[in-house]
Amino acid sequence: LSGAKTVAGLLAEAAARVPFVAMDDLAAALAAGNAGYVLLDVREKDAFDAGHIIGALHLPRGQLELRVNDMLPDPTARILTICEFGRISTLAAATLRDLGFTRAAALDGGVKAWRAARTPLVGGQPSPAKPLVSAAQNAHLKANARHEHFRHCRSAPGAERHPALSAVPVAA
């Protein structure tokens, strides 16, 4: 196709404007107890559940634009996007920068490099040992995500017939 962008072209454009954080630098910061970033894993749920960097929040790349403002309301936050190989996280960091999160960066090499270096991963939810958000903030984020999910589902055709959805109050 004449004039169409390629995936390689999109990645090159994103990489030219997104800073990268070396895996060793992040591992050292985590070992010292302060990543200095909000870690945002943009892989799909099954990959995240199979193992993620300690303290990482989960927001799949396919939902990034729709949920990031609710999940991360501070556009001045230092955000480090993480994916499997470092490509999707590069695109995610570029998108975050386009959305006003000007301090977004991407993890160089992704979880694959993290695994190869035998750096620890955790499964399931972020470890409670050193949370990046307080318990109250985490509860708020989860409640907000549920509210948004039900609000979206209630607007779908046939939702009025679903008993679980009709019991959930939705703000206008």
Side-chain angles (χ1 to χ4, degrees), residues 26 34-41 55-58 71-72 74 76-82 96 103-105 132-133 141:
L26 178 60
N34 182 9
Y37 289 91
V38 174
L39 304 178
L40 191 64
D41 194 318
L57 301 174
H58 181 235
M71 194 167 180
L72 302 170
D74 181 5
T76 65
R78 293 179 66 199
I79 301 169
L80 182 63
T81 58
I82 302 164
L96 286 170
R103 299 176 73 194
L132 292 176
V133 296
L141 291 172

mmCIF file of all heavy atoms in Angstrom, residues 26 34-41 55-58 71-72 74 76-82 96 103-105 132-133 141:
data_model
loop_
_atom_site.group_PDB
_atom_site.id
_atom_site.type_symbol
_atom_site.label_atom_id
_atom_site.label_comp_id
_atom_site.label_asym_id
_atom_site.label_seq_id
_atom_site.Cartn_x
_atom_site.Cartn_y
_atom_site.Cartn_z
ATOM 1 N N LEU A 26 16.319 -0.849 36.605
ATOM 2 C CA LEU A 26 15.055 -1.089 37.302
ATOM 3 C C LEU A 26 15.232 -2.137 38.395
ATOM 4 O O LEU A 26 14.729 -1.962 39.511
ATOM 5 C CB LEU A 26 13.955 -1.528 36.326
ATOM 6 C CG LEU A 26 12.613 -1.850 36.975
ATOM 7 C CD1 LEU A 26 12.045 -0.642 37.729
ATOM 8 C CD2 LEU A 26 11.615 -2.346 35.934
ATOM 9 N N ASN A 34 12.701 1.210 45.830
ATOM 10 C CA ASN A 34 12.020 2.342 45.204
ATOM 11 C C ASN A 34 12.260 2.318 43.701
ATOM 12 O O ASN A 34 13.327 2.701 43.226
ATOM 13 C CB ASN A 34 12.527 3.662 45.788
ATOM 14 C CG ASN A 34 11.802 4.851 45.199
ATOM 15 O OD1 ASN A 34 10.819 4.704 44.485
ATOM 16 N ND2 ASN A 34 12.292 6.030 45.494
ATOM 17 N N ALA A 35 11.245 1.902 42.963
ATOM 18 C CA ALA A 35 11.376 1.851 41.506
ATOM 19 C C ALA A 35 11.472 3.241 40.902
ATOM 20 O O ALA A 35 12.101 3.432 39.871
ATOM 21 C CB ALA A 35 10.200 1.099 40.895
ATOM 22 N N GLY A 36 10.848 4.217 41.537
ATOM 23 C CA GLY A 36 10.849 5.573 40.991
ATOM 24 C C GLY A 36 9.847 5.762 39.871
ATOM 25 O O GLY A 36 9.753 6.842 39.306
ATOM 26 N N TYR A 37 9.126 4.719 39.531
ATOM 27 C CA TYR A 37 8.138 4.743 38.459
ATOM 28 C C TYR A 37 6.866 4.044 38.917
ATOM 29 O O TYR A 37 6.919 3.159 39.767
ATOM 30 C CB TYR A 37 8.633 3.962 37.229
ATOM 31 C CG TYR A 37 9.736 4.603 36.453
ATOM 32 C CD1 TYR A 37 11.066 4.340 36.735
ATOM 33 C CD2 TYR A 37 9.448 5.482 35.414
ATOM 34 C CE1 TYR A 37 12.083 4.923 36.016
ATOM 35 C CE2 TYR A 37 10.452 6.078 34.687
ATOM 36 C CZ TYR A 37 11.768 5.795 34.988
ATOM 37 O OH TYR A 37 12.770 6.386 34.265
ATOM 38 N N VAL A 38 5.768 4.385 38.288
ATOM 39 C CA VAL A 38 4.584 3.547 38.338
ATOM 40 C C VAL A 38 4.813 2.506 37.253
ATOM 41 O O VAL A 38 4.965 2.851 36.078
ATOM 42 C CB VAL A 38 3.295 4.352 38.044
ATOM 43 C CG1 VAL A 38 2.106 3.414 37.952
ATOM 44 C CG2 VAL A 38 3.075 5.420 39.093
ATOM 45 N N LEU A 39 4.904 1.257 37.638
ATOM 46 C CA LEU A 39 5.145 0.177 36.680
ATOM 47 C C LEU A 39 3.808 -0.232 36.077
ATOM 48 O O LEU A 39 2.895 -0.619 36.800
ATOM 49 C CB LEU A 39 5.808 -1.010 37.374
ATOM 50 C CG LEU A 39 7.115 -0.705 38.109
ATOM 51 C CD1 LEU A 39 7.646 -1.955 38.784
ATOM 52 C CD2 LEU A 39 8.132 -0.107 37.168
ATOM 53 N N LEU A 40 3.711 -0.159 34.761
ATOM 54 C CA LEU A 40 2.454 -0.435 34.070
ATOM 55 C C LEU A 40 2.672 -1.553 33.062
ATOM 56 O O LEU A 40 3.277 -1.345 32.011
ATOM 57 C CB LEU A 40 1.960 0.836 33.379
ATOM 58 C CG LEU A 40 0.547 0.790 32.826
ATOM 59 C CD1 LEU A 40 -0.473 0.610 33.948
ATOM 60 C CD2 LEU A 40 0.248 2.073 32.059
ATOM 61 N N ASP A 41 2.201 -2.740 33.400
ATOM 62 C CA ASP A 41 2.330 -3.904 32.523
ATOM 63 C C ASP A 41 1.188 -3.872 31.522
ATOM 64 O O ASP A 41 0.016 -3.918 31.905
ATOM 65 C CB ASP A 41 2.278 -5.184 33.364
ATOM 66 C CG ASP A 41 2.724 -6.419 32.614
ATOM 67 O OD1 ASP A 41 2.330 -6.567 31.422
ATOM 68 O OD2 ASP A 41 3.440 -7.236 33.192
ATOM 69 N N GLY A 55 5.065 -5.277 41.960
ATOM 70 C CA GLY A 55 4.503 -3.939 42.071
ATOM 71 C C GLY A 55 3.850 -3.408 40.809
ATOM 72 O O GLY A 55 3.284 -2.322 40.828
ATOM 73 N N ALA A 56 3.908 -4.165 39.719
ATOM 74 C CA ALA A 56 3.339 -3.681 38.455
ATOM 75 C C ALA A 56 1.820 -3.666 38.501
ATOM 76 O O ALA A 56 1.191 -4.588 39.013
ATOM 77 C CB ALA A 56 3.811 -4.552 37.293
ATOM 78 N N LEU A 57 1.252 -2.602 37.963
ATOM 79 C CA LEU A 57 -0.186 -2.514 37.748
ATOM 80 C C LEU A 57 -0.479 -3.106 36.381
ATOM 81 O O LEU A 57 0.360 -3.064 35.486
ATOM 82 C CB LEU A 57 -0.647 -1.061 37.790
ATOM 83 C CG LEU A 57 -0.364 -0.290 39.071
ATOM 84 C CD1 LEU A 57 -0.752 1.174 38.901
ATOM 85 C CD2 LEU A 57 -1.110 -0.908 40.233
ATOM 86 N N HIS A 58 -1.675 -3.623 36.199
ATOM 87 C CA HIS A 58 -2.037 -4.238 34.918
ATOM 88 C C HIS A 58 -3.041 -3.383 34.164
ATOM 89 O O HIS A 58 -4.108 -3.060 34.676
ATOM 90 C CB HIS A 58 -2.615 -5.638 35.163
ATOM 91 C CG HIS A 58 -2.978 -6.336 33.907
ATOM 92 N ND1 HIS A 58 -4.229 -6.846 33.685
ATOM 93 C CD2 HIS A 58 -2.258 -6.586 32.794
ATOM 94 C CE1 HIS A 58 -4.247 -7.391 32.484
ATOM 95 N NE2 HIS A 58 -3.075 -7.249 31.920
ATOM 96 N N MET A 71 -7.210 5.200 35.879
ATOM 97 C CA MET A 71 -6.255 4.394 36.626
ATOM 98 C C MET A 71 -5.072 5.223 37.120
ATOM 99 O O MET A 71 -4.564 4.998 38.216
ATOM 100 C CB MET A 71 -5.767 3.247 35.750
ATOM 101 C CG MET A 71 -5.056 2.183 36.480
ATOM 102 S SD MET A 71 -4.890 0.770 35.371
ATOM 103 C CE MET A 71 -4.030 -0.332 36.455
ATOM 104 N N LEU A 72 -4.624 6.170 36.306
ATOM 105 C CA LEU A 72 -3.469 7.004 36.638
ATOM 106 C C LEU A 72 -3.842 8.467 36.430
ATOM 107 O O LEU A 72 -3.538 9.054 35.396
ATOM 108 C CB LEU A 72 -2.271 6.629 35.759
ATOM 109 C CG LEU A 72 -1.817 5.174 35.845
ATOM 110 C CD1 LEU A 72 -0.796 4.867 34.772
ATOM 111 C CD2 LEU A 72 -1.264 4.866 37.224
ATOM 112 N N ASP A 74 -2.683 11.208 37.551
ATOM 113 C CA ASP A 74 -1.633 12.223 37.603
ATOM 114 C C ASP A 74 -0.781 12.187 36.336
ATOM 115 O O ASP A 74 0.058 11.299 36.177
ATOM 116 C CB ASP A 74 -0.750 11.998 38.831
ATOM 117 C CG ASP A 74 0.359 13.030 38.964
ATOM 118 O OD1 ASP A 74 0.392 13.991 38.163
ATOM 119 O OD2 ASP A 74 1.195 12.868 39.870
ATOM 120 N N THR A 76 1.692 13.867 35.603
ATOM 121 C CA THR A 76 3.111 14.127 35.866
ATOM 122 C C THR A 76 3.834 12.900 36.422
ATOM 123 O O THR A 76 5.048 12.948 36.647
ATOM 124 C CB THR A 76 3.284 15.299 36.859
ATOM 125 O OG1 THR A 76 2.744 14.929 38.125
ATOM 126 C CG2 THR A 76 2.589 16.552 36.341
ATOM 127 N N ALA A 77 3.102 11.812 36.643
ATOM 128 C CA ALA A 77 3.709 10.597 37.190
ATOM 129 C C ALA A 77 4.746 10.030 36.227
ATOM 130 O O ALA A 77 4.589 10.100 35.005
ATOM 131 C CB ALA A 77 2.624 9.551 37.459
ATOM 132 N N ARG A 78 5.784 9.461 36.801
ATOM 133 C CA ARG A 78 6.780 8.738 35.997
ATOM 134 C C ARG A 78 6.242 7.330 35.789
ATOM 135 O O ARG A 78 6.087 6.571 36.742
ATOM 136 C CB ARG A 78 8.123 8.704 36.712
ATOM 137 C CG ARG A 78 8.753 10.087 36.826
ATOM 138 C CD ARG A 78 10.062 10.043 37.551
ATOM 139 N NE ARG A 78 11.028 9.289 36.745
ATOM 140 C CZ ARG A 78 12.144 8.762 37.241
ATOM 141 N NH1 ARG A 78 12.423 8.884 38.518
ATOM 142 N NH2 ARG A 78 12.967 8.100 36.462
ATOM 143 N N ILE A 79 5.929 6.998 34.556
ATOM 144 C CA ILE A 79 5.318 5.710 34.230
ATOM 145 C C ILE A 79 6.303 4.901 33.402
ATOM 146 O O ILE A 79 6.880 5.414 32.427
ATOM 147 C CB ILE A 79 4.015 5.909 33.434
ATOM 148 C CG1 ILE A 79 3.018 6.742 34.238
ATOM 149 C CG2 ILE A 79 3.406 4.561 33.048
ATOM 150 C CD1 ILE A 79 1.829 7.215 33.433
ATOM 151 N N LEU A 80 6.488 3.643 33.778
ATOM 152 C CA LEU A 80 7.335 2.736 33.013
ATOM 153 C C LEU A 80 6.456 1.627 32.456
ATOM 154 O O LEU A 80 5.891 0.839 33.214
ATOM 155 C CB LEU A 80 8.441 2.151 33.891
ATOM 156 C CG LEU A 80 9.411 1.220 33.169
ATOM 157 C CD1 LEU A 80 10.176 1.974 32.076
ATOM 158 C CD2 LEU A 80 10.376 0.594 34.160
ATOM 159 N N THR A 81 6.306 1.600 31.135
ATOM 160 C CA THR A 81 5.489 0.573 30.504
ATOM 161 C C THR A 81 6.327 -0.685 30.305
ATOM 162 O O THR A 81 7.524 -0.626 30.033
ATOM 163 C CB THR A 81 4.912 1.052 29.159
ATOM 164 O OG1 THR A 81 5.982 1.432 28.298
ATOM 165 C CG2 THR A 81 3.960 2.216 29.356
ATOM 166 N N ILE A 82 5.645 -1.822 30.447
ATOM 167 C CA ILE A 82 6.310 -3.124 30.388
ATOM 168 C C ILE A 82 5.478 -4.049 29.515
ATOM 169 O O ILE A 82 4.252 -4.111 29.659
ATOM 170 C CB ILE A 82 6.422 -3.732 31.805
ATOM 171 C CG1 ILE A 82 7.196 -2.793 32.723
ATOM 172 C CG2 ILE A 82 7.041 -5.117 31.765
ATOM 173 C CD1 ILE A 82 7.037 -3.116 34.194
ATOM 174 N N LEU A 96 0.987 7.128 25.705
ATOM 175 C CA LEU A 96 0.853 7.858 26.961
ATOM 176 C C LEU A 96 1.393 9.281 26.828
ATOM 177 O O LEU A 96 0.787 10.231 27.307
ATOM 178 C CB LEU A 96 1.574 7.121 28.092
ATOM 179 C CG LEU A 96 0.882 5.862 28.598
ATOM 180 C CD1 LEU A 96 1.796 5.077 29.530
ATOM 181 C CD2 LEU A 96 -0.430 6.195 29.279
ATOM 182 N N ARG A 103 6.128 11.927 31.072
ATOM 183 C CA ARG A 103 7.259 11.255 31.704
ATOM 184 C C ARG A 103 7.203 9.738 31.513
ATOM 185 O O ARG A 103 7.882 8.989 32.220
ATOM 186 C CB ARG A 103 7.319 11.633 33.175
ATOM 187 C CG ARG A 103 7.517 13.148 33.346
ATOM 188 C CD ARG A 103 7.488 13.588 34.775
ATOM 189 N NE ARG A 103 8.719 13.173 35.440
ATOM 190 C CZ ARG A 103 8.873 13.179 36.754
ATOM 191 N NH1 ARG A 103 7.904 13.590 37.537
ATOM 192 N NH2 ARG A 103 10.017 12.795 37.293
ATOM 193 N N ALA A 104 6.417 9.276 30.546
ATOM 194 C CA ALA A 104 6.309 7.839 30.276
ATOM 195 C C ALA A 104 7.578 7.348 29.588
ATOM 196 O O ALA A 104 8.142 8.017 28.728
ATOM 197 C CB ALA A 104 5.091 7.546 29.412
ATOM 198 N N ALA A 105 8.005 6.146 29.978
ATOM 199 C CA ALA A 105 9.173 5.486 29.393
ATOM 200 C C ALA A 105 8.825 4.016 29.213
ATOM 201 O O ALA A 105 7.777 3.553 29.667
ATOM 202 C CB ALA A 105 10.384 5.651 30.315
ATOM 203 N N LEU A 132 2.914 0.001 45.384
ATOM 204 C CA LEU A 132 3.124 1.323 44.821
ATOM 205 C C LEU A 132 1.973 2.256 45.168
ATOM 206 O O LEU A 132 2.115 3.460 45.086
ATOM 207 C CB LEU A 132 3.274 1.237 43.301
ATOM 208 C CG LEU A 132 4.541 0.554 42.834
ATOM 209 C CD1 LEU A 132 4.536 0.425 41.323
ATOM 210 C CD2 LEU A 132 5.764 1.327 43.283
ATOM 211 N N VAL A 133 0.843 1.684 45.522
ATOM 212 C CA VAL A 133 -0.308 2.483 45.940
ATOM 213 C C VAL A 133 -0.777 1.945 47.279
ATOM 214 O O VAL A 133 -0.560 0.784 47.606
ATOM 215 C CB VAL A 133 -1.461 2.437 44.907
ATOM 216 C CG1 VAL A 133 -1.032 3.055 43.594
ATOM 217 C CG2 VAL A 133 -1.952 1.028 44.682
ATOM 218 N N LEU A 141 -9.149 2.004 43.015
ATOM 219 C CA LEU A 141 -8.887 1.655 41.612
ATOM 220 C C LEU A 141 -9.725 0.450 41.185
ATOM 221 O O LEU A 141 -10.307 0.443 40.100
ATOM 222 C CB LEU A 141 -7.401 1.366 41.406
ATOM 223 C CG LEU A 141 -6.471 2.559 41.521
ATOM 224 C CD1 LEU A 141 -5.017 2.099 41.491
ATOM 225 C CD2 LEU A 141 -6.726 3.567 40.414
#
